[in-house]
DNA sequence: GCAGAGTGTCTTTTT
DNA sequence: GACACTCTGC
């Protein structure tokens, strides 16, 4: 037994130094007995702290060895955070533990059992882009009508099926279209299998199926992971829930932490219902609410509580704080989006002037498109800022190109990568040649790479040259270090040369050089140097046997995150294959220019889990926040409200809310009404910087709510028009004479009944965008079109 | 085969 | 207003 891990259970939980810093709720959660538990952790209630302290406490009280813990998060960032905090608490080799993202752990699991999972050991992972291009390619090959089945929709369909744990045969096909989609799903699966690649959903689904169907494997892992901890449980989808369930047998404990009020990912398959299901199906007897908020003053917290109280079916939680009311929540109405940005910039100047660091100030918005005008404002004011979101390092085109070459070295069957670079840099291989090649490959039932030898003529020569280049590179890079391999590929693929000749290729070359660095630090961090594989099973000394694990079972306590040796042969992935996996699973940082003290700009989604002294939530307008698409159903609206709740609870000291009467969106000026969320906030906590009313009076002025056309969607609240061509406080123009308003129903002699969506221009030039259910969206000149309002 | 013009689309995001 | 995609002329 390791001296660090006394086997006795602590007599008094409070006596452990780990628990001393916690409040009562937190301490109760951390020291729960080894049974299933659900921790409802409100915003700012110390969720990560409870999770990590729980692990530390289990380890230090000898209830489990590091190898017996599995902790699952959604993001790499959260996993890293957990590992960092944990190693600060205990002298434990966290890299050897199963702490990681769902996908990272699935990857590790599948690498270890690749034969059972019927995958090549060096299977590569398709990211979202790769997946889409694979689907498009497949659709072309099978003559799928792109009009009827857009590739994006199929991608969404396939991903959705996998998230539900469904293979093609499990998908109910009610219509002809459904049948076709399922057929394509099947073709896509066949294609991936043939090419030796898996997408993100497949990582999860396949490891779930292996756990479900293979008794020895399941028994092994169930015996092994005595404690399973899940972060952000409200964001789990159906498949992830099932996956967790297969790991949870008799005698192990699932510790789930989540907050139903912060569930903002239903749109990508998250099921808040998993929390209630968990309680029921696992017979959870320990439920603890963490309601003590350590982050915000009470004006901010009151606002958050009042807002979220409008949602139905909550598990029920109310945040409280011991801090005073603090500053009121400031509300501002701007005439234009630019003015809104300028106001925020002015406020930020004052804040910075009073000593607040710029990085403690965040400007949040609902959608990325809104950042531009704010950036302009900050830029003009000379305030440094940093925008989160957008392209990540491994998603950049030049990086994807380089990775495609590398993937072809590892796996020539990877047609997605083949097509990506077969003519990049341009080498005279056009669409025609590629089509012929694809036909040949299909006829021969082989990969594009292998089909090249069968092609003839000039096209054949060019293609042959390309394949030869790849094959030679593969030969030449045998036995080289990862760094050298990448350098060879960059030099001989022609990528560097190509970008050198390009006018603004300097950045791209810089990124390619950065790729070499990334590989270098990957090798160092993951310990790919020499003898990385043979680390002790369990750094802290407890042998698996002492855990009651069958010593005959293959043990998979591999210490290195992406380097799982084959359970039977001990064979491991090449550094290159491991690096490619790393690139897919961890797409890198969102923004290059880190470092300096800058104002933080991001979407509300991106802000989840973060906190700032001062937070601006901008663009609080109907149609934007809540977003237009969400307003048609109650679930969507409630998710928007949770999103707003997340936004509010990011603020520690100061919160600013703003909206604008007009906004340039998609190149058109839209007139927006202020968000309904303002009406759900407690008046006592707010301070209106502009007279309240303004857009608000629009409601009575136009009398909507009573005579307004309502969209009838089962059980939903009244759908509110999102765009006003005739604002109550018109910035400049006089109201138009045609009397049309967005949302109004009109009749057209040819197109029938339709709904006015947008209006623009004046007098003879006035036109309206109208959605006709039977004829689609049309732009009509009002001086010409004969439109009659429909009551 | 390729470059430039024209067209259509357009939440939120991690893996 | 930006990007991705398709079409067209060379």
């Amino acid at each position: 037994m390791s001296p660090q891990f006394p086997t006795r259970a602590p007599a008094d939980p409070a006596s452990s130094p780990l628990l001393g810093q916690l409040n009562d709720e937190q301490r109760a959660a951390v020291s729960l007995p080894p049974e299933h538990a659900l921790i409802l952790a409100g915003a700012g209630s110390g969720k990560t702290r409870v999770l990590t302290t729980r692990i530390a406490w289990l380890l230090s009280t000898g209830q489990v060895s590091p190898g017996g813990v599995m902790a699952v998060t959604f993001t790499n960032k959260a996993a890293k955070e957990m590992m960092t905090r944990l190693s600060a608490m205990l002298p434990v080799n966290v890299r050897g533990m199963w702490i990681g993202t769902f996908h990272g752990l699935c990857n590790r699991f599948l690498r270890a059992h690749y034969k059972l999972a019927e995958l090549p050991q060096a299977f590569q992972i398709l990211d979202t882009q790769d997946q889409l291009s694979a689907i498009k390619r497949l659709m072309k090959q099978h003559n799928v009508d792109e009009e009827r089945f857009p590739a994006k929709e199929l991608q969404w369909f396939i991903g959705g099926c996998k998230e539900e744990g469904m293979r093609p045969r499990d998908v109910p096909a009610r219509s002809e279209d459904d049948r076709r989609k399922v057929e394509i799903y099947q073709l896509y699966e066949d294609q991936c299998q043939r090419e030796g690649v898996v997408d993100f959903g497949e990582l999860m689904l396949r490891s779930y199926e292996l756990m479900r169907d293979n008794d020895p494997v399941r028994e092994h892992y169930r015996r092994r992971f005595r404690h399973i901890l899940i972060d952000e449980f409200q964001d789990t989808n159906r498949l992830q829930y099932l996956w967790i369930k297969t790991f949870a047998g008799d005698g192990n404990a699932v510790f789930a932490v989540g907050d139903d009020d912060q569930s903002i990912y239903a749109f990508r398959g998250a099921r808040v219902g998993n929390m209630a299901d968990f309680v029921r199906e696992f017979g959870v007897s320990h439920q603890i609410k963490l309601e003590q908020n350590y982050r915000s003053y009470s004006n901010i917290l009151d606002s958050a509580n009042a807002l979220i109280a409008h949602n139905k079916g909550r598990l029920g939680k109310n945040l409280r704080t011991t801090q005073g009311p603090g500053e009121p929540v400031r509300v501002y109405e701007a005439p234009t989006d630019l003015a809104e940005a300028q106001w925020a910039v002015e406020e930020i100047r004052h804040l910075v002037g009073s000593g607040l660091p710029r990085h403690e100030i965040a400007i949040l918005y609902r959608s990325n498109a809104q950042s531009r005008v704010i950036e302009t404002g900050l830029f003009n004011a000379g305030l440094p800022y940093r925008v989160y979101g957008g392209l990540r390092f491994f998603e950049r085109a030049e990086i994807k190109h380089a990775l495609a070459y590398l993937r072809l070295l590892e796996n020539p069957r990877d047609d997605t990568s083949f097509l990506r670079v077969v003519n990049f840099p341009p080498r005279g291989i056009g669409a025609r040649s590629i089509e012929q090649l694809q036909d040949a490959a299909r006829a021969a039932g082989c990969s594009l790479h292998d089909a090249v030898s069968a092609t003839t003529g000039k096209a054949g020569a060019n293609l042959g040259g390309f394949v030869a280049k790849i094959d030679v590179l593969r030969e030449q890079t045998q036995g080289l270090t990862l760094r050298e391999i990448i350098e060879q590929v960059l030099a001989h693929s022609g990528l560097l040369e190509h970008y050198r000749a390009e006018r603004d290729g300097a950045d791209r070359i810089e990124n390619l050089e950065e790729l070499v660095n990334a590989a270098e630090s990957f090798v160092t961090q993951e310990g790919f140097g020499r003898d990385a594989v043979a680390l002790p099973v369990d750094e802290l000394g407890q042998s698996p046997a002492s855990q009651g694990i069958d010593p005959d079972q293959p043990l998979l306590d591999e210490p290195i995150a992406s380097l799982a040796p084959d359970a039977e042969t001990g064979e491991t992935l090449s550094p290159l294959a491991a690096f490619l996996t790393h690139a897919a699973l961890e797409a890198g940082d969102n923004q290059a220019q880190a470092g300096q003290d800058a104002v933080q700009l991001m979407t509300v989604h991106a802000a989840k889990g973060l906190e700032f002294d001062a937070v601006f939530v901008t663009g609080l307008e109907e149609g934007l926040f809540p977003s237009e698409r969400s307003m048609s159903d109650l679930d969507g609206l409630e998710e928007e409200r949770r999103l707003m709740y997340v936004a509010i609870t990011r603020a520690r000291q100061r919160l600013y809310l703003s909206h604008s009467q007009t906004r340039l969106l998609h190149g058109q000026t839209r007139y927006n009404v202020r968000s309904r969320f303002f009406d759900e906030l407690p008046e006592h906590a707010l301070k209106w910087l502009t007279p309240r009313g303004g857009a608000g009076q629009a409601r009575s002025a136009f009398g909507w709510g009573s005579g307004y056309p309502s969209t009838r969607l089962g059980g939903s609240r009244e759908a509110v028009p999102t765009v006003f061509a005739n604002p109550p406080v018109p910035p400049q123009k006089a109201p138009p004479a045609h009397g049309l308003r967005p949302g109004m129903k009109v009749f057209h002699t040819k197109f029938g009944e339709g709904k006015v969506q947008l209006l623009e221009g004046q007098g003879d030039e006035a036109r309206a965008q109208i959605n006709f259910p039977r004829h689609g969206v049309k732009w009509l000149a009002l001086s010409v079109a004969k439109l009659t309002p429909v009551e």
Side-chain angles (χ1 to χ4, degrees):
Chain A
M1 271 317 130
S2 156
Q4 291 106 316
F5 291 99
T7 43
R8 59 184 165 76
D12 173 16
S15 70
S16 165
L18 283 172
L19 305 180
Q21 314 252 318
L22 306 176
N23 69 27
D24 291 348
E25 298 164 343
Q26 293 172 329
R27 193 177 312 118
V30 165
S31 58
L32 279 172
E35 291 159 20
H36 302 319
L38 177 66
I39 312 301
L40 283 168
S45 65
K47 176 197 67 161
T48 312
R49 176 172 212 168
V50 164
L51 213 40
T52 44
T53 314
R54 168 76 174 174
I55 300 175
W57 184 78
L58 289 169
L59 293 173
S60 67
T61 53
Q63 298 186 55
V64 69
S65 75
V69 174
M70 175 160 78
V72 198
T73 64
F74 274 87
T75 66
N76 291 300
K77 200 172 146 203
K80 273 186 200 135
E81 164 99 8
M82 205 182 279
M83 293 198 260
T84 312
R85 290 216 206 174
L86 189 56
S87 43
M89 286 185 219
L90 284 180
V92 58
N93 171 26
V94 285
R95 297 195 73 81
M97 295 178 67
W98 279 58
I99 298 177
T101 62
F102 275 103
H103 294 88
L105 295 181
C106 285
N107 173 59
R108 198 195 272 210
F109 176 85
L110 290 176
R111 299 281 173 197
H113 302 290
Y114 67 94
K115 281 180 197 147
L116 292 174
E118 294 172 42
L119 287 169
Q121 185 179 25
F123 67 83
Q124 283 303 311
I125 299 164
L126 297 183
D127 67 14
T128 319
Q129 285 176 41
D130 299 332
Q131 188 190 25
L132 187 63
S133 57
I135 291 172
K136 282 183 180 163
R137 169 158 54 90
L138 178 127
M139 288 172 63
K140 276 214 184 90
Q141 208 164 89
H142 294 273
N143 294 319
V144 180
D145 182 3
E146 279 232 44
E147 297 269 288
R148 214 162 126 198
F149 303 99
K152 277 244 173 69
E153 213 168 274
L154 283 167
Q155 181 181 31
W156 185 82
F157 172 79
I158 292 170
C161 289
K162 291 190 181 187
E163 273 166 7
E164 292 288 311
M166 291 190 294
R167 291 293 178 190
R169 62 173 174 282
D170 307 318
V171 185
R174 262 172 256 114
S175 65
E176 197 48 50
D177 275 19
D178 283 358
R179 238 188 308 284
R180 184 75 173 135
K181 282 195 218 163
V182 173
E183 203 180 306
I184 297 164
Y185 178 15
Q186 181 66 56
L187 289 168
Y188 169 75
E189 289 218 319
D190 297 343
Q191 177 177 286
C192 288
Q193 188 65 25
R194 206 166 47 238
E195 297 174 10
V197 295
V198 299
D199 59 39
F200 289 128
E202 189 69 25
L203 280 174
M204 286 281 341
L205 182 51
R206 209 169 287 210
S207 38
Y208 160 66
E209 287 171 341
L210 184 52
M211 276 294 284
R212 182 193 61 193
D213 300 336
N214 188 306
D215 297 345
V217 167
R218 186 176 59 251
E219 288 317 311
H220 169 72
Y221 283 98
R222 282 188 174 179
R223 271 201 301 275
R224 176 177 167 173
F225 294 123
R226 309 251 308 268
H227 286 272
I228 299 163
L229 300 95
I230 320 279
D231 190 19
E232 306 276 15
F233 193 74
Q234 77 284 350
D235 287 339
T236 51
N237 62 35
R238 165 130 249 145
L239 177 58
Q240 283 156 342
Y241 180 81
L242 294 171
W243 184 91
I244 293 164
K245 221 171 155 182
T246 60
F247 278 91
D250 292 333
N252 42 24
V254 176
F255 188 86
V257 180
D259 180 1
D260 55 323
D261 291 333
Q262 291 188 70
S263 160
I264 54 173
Y265 286 110
F267 72 91
R268 65 171 199 219
R271 282 183 78 249
V272 212
N274 284 348
M275 297 181 87
D277 288 357
F278 174 60
V279 171
R280 200 179 56 247
E281 295 180 8
F282 285 65
V284 170
S285 51
H286 306 285
Q287 267 195 72
I288 291 178
K289 289 180 188 174
L290 306 181
E291 299 177 300
Q292 176 75 38
N293 174 290
Y294 293 98
R295 186 180 292 159
S296 316
Y297 284 100
S298 70
N299 276 332
I300 295 171
L301 229 44
D302 289 352
S303 302
N305 282 332
L307 177 93
I308 202 67
H310 286 81
N311 272 3
K312 300 196 176 75
R314 298 171 58 218
L315 295 175
K317 214 172 11 52
N318 231 3
L319 294 176
R320 49 169 201 276
T321 177
T322 52
Q323 302 196 61
E327 293 287 322
V329 176
R330 290 182 165 77
V331 182
Y332 183 78
E333 174 180 282
T336 66
D337 48 355
L338 188 64
E340 183 190 31
Q342 283 166 340
W343 162 77
V345 167
E346 244 348 274
E347 291 286 345
I348 288 171
R349 272 186 157 153
H350 285 127
L351 292 173
V352 172
S354 70
L356 200 63
R358 284 188 288 264
H359 68 260
E360 277 300 341
I361 303 170
I363 307 183
L364 309 183
Y365 34 81
R366 176 65 240 265
S367 75
N368 283 306
Q370 290 164 251
S371 76
R372 181 156 233 97
V373 61
I374 300 169
E375 286 183 65
T376 311
L378 289 165
F379 184 84
N380 291 340
L383 271 171
Y385 62 89
R386 183 180 170 190
V387 189
Y388 289 77
L391 264 199
R392 330 217 348 245
F393 182 72
F394 285 110
E395 289 168 358
R396 293 168 186 279
E398 62 275 21
I399 300 298
K400 294 282 286 180
H401 283 131
L403 292 175
Y405 278 101
L406 293 167
R407 279 160 74 148
L408 285 175
L409 297 192
E410 194 60 45
N411 173 14
R413 285 184 297 159
D414 185 343
D415 286 354
T416 300
S417 296
F418 186 98
L419 288 170
R420 183 172 194 104
V421 290
V422 64
N423 196 35
F424 194 93
R427 48 175 73 88
I429 301 171
R432 180 88 49 84
S433 323
I434 290 168
E435 234 165 77
Q436 283 167 1
L437 180 64
Q438 285 178 308
D439 288 343
R442 192 160 24 143
C446 66
S447 67
L448 296 173
H449 173 275
D450 292 344
V452 165
S453 54
T455 54
T456 50
K458 190 158 155 255
N462 284 343
L463 280 166
F466 172 68
V467 165
K469 185 170 262 179
I470 297 290
D471 291 343
V472 166
L473 262 172
R474 187 179 305 109
E475 282 299 309
Q476 280 177 348
T477 51
Q478 291 297 321
L480 297 188
T481 65
L482 181 58
R483 181 200 188 97
E484 290 163 342
I485 296 175
I486 297 177
E487 282 168 347
Q488 288 285 316
V489 163
L490 293 184
H492 293 106
S493 62
L495 283 175
L496 283 181
E497 213 179 327
H498 174 84
Y499 287 125
R500 260 189 220 113
E502 214 172 55
R503 280 182 310 284
D504 25 45
D507 282 355
R508 295 185 187 273
I509 289 179
E510 217 170 280
N511 285 328
L512 288 173
E513 280 160 3
E514 194 51 42
L515 180 67
V516 179
N517 292 336
E520 193 67 24
S521 66
F522 173 74
V523 168
T524 337
Q525 274 177 30
E526 302 280 311
F528 268 101
R530 281 145 293 272
D531 47 3
V533 185
L535 282 185
V537 158
D538 198 322
E539 287 249 315
L540 285 147
Q542 282 190 319
S543 75
S546 73
Q547 297 280 306
I549 291 175
D550 185 353
D552 294 334
Q553 284 288 334
L555 272 169
L556 298 160
D557 296 70
E558 74 294 343
I560 292 153
S562 41
L563 187 74
D566 172 30
E568 285 161 47
T569 64
E571 195 186 350
T572 66
L573 235 43
S574 72
L576 175 56
F579 178 64
L580 292 171
T581 298
H582 166 82
L585 285 178
E586 212 166 327
D589 229 331
N590 257 340
Q591 203 48 316
Q593 9 100 285
Q596 64 158 325
D597 186 24
V599 176
Q600 314 279 301
L601 269 65
M602 66 191 87
T603 63
V604 183
H605 282 93
K608 188 173 166 205
L610 306 177
E611 55 182 273
F612 308 91
D613 283 343
V615 169
F616 292 77
V617 188
T618 62
L620 283 162
E621 293 137 37
E622 288 289 300
L624 251 183
F625 199 175
S627 90
E628 196 149 25
R629 303 259 282 258
S630 70
M631 296 193 327
S632 55
D633 68 288
L634 189 62
D635 288 348
L637 193 57
E638 294 211 338
E639 178 145 319
E640 294 290 305
R641 192 174 283 114
R642 291 192 292 269
L643 195 55
M644 181 68 187
Y645 175 80
V646 168
I648 292 175
T649 52
R650 298 310 93 196
R652 282 194 282 254
Q653 295 165 10
R654 287 167 180 269
L655 177 64
Y656 299 82
L657 309 175
S658 64
H659 68 104
S660 167
Q661 295 170 355
T662 67
R663 182 173 298 278
L664 199 61
L665 200 70
H666 303 321
Q668 285 168 323
T669 303
R670 296 169 45 130
Y671 299 91
N672 293 333
V673 180
R674 85 165 178 249
S675 171
R676 69 188 70 192
F677 295 147
F678 283 110
D679 303 333
E680 302 176 358
L681 298 175
E683 206 54 51
H684 77 263
L686 307 183
K687 179 177 179 186
W688 295 77
L689 303 178
T690 39
R692 177 167 196 172
Q697 284 168 5
R699 308 191 167 192
S700 51
F702 283 109
W704 57 265
S706 51
Y708 221 83
S710 82
T711 38
R712 289 174 297 279
L713 279 155
S716 100
R717 207 173 280 191
E718 166 59 40
V720 168
T722 59
V723 184
F724 273 74
N726 189 0
V729 190
Q732 295 100 12
K733 294 175 209 147
H738 48 67
L740 293 182
R741 296 189 309 263
M744 215 179 205
K745 276 190 186 156
V746 290
F747 183 80
H748 185 274
T749 43
K750 189 164 165 214
F751 301 131
E753 203 169 291
K755 194 167 158 191
V756 179
Q757 293 187 320
L758 292 169
L759 292 159
E760 73 172 18
Q762 296 175 66
D764 280 352
E765 279 166 23
R767 26 183 234 140
Q769 189 192 51
I770 299 170
N771 186 4
F772 295 99
R774 249 159 279 145
H775 296 86
V777 178
K778 312 257 178 215
W779 273 106
L780 301 177
L782 297 179
S783 54
V784 181
K786 295 209 168 45
L787 294 169
T788 16
V790 181
E791 249 336 280

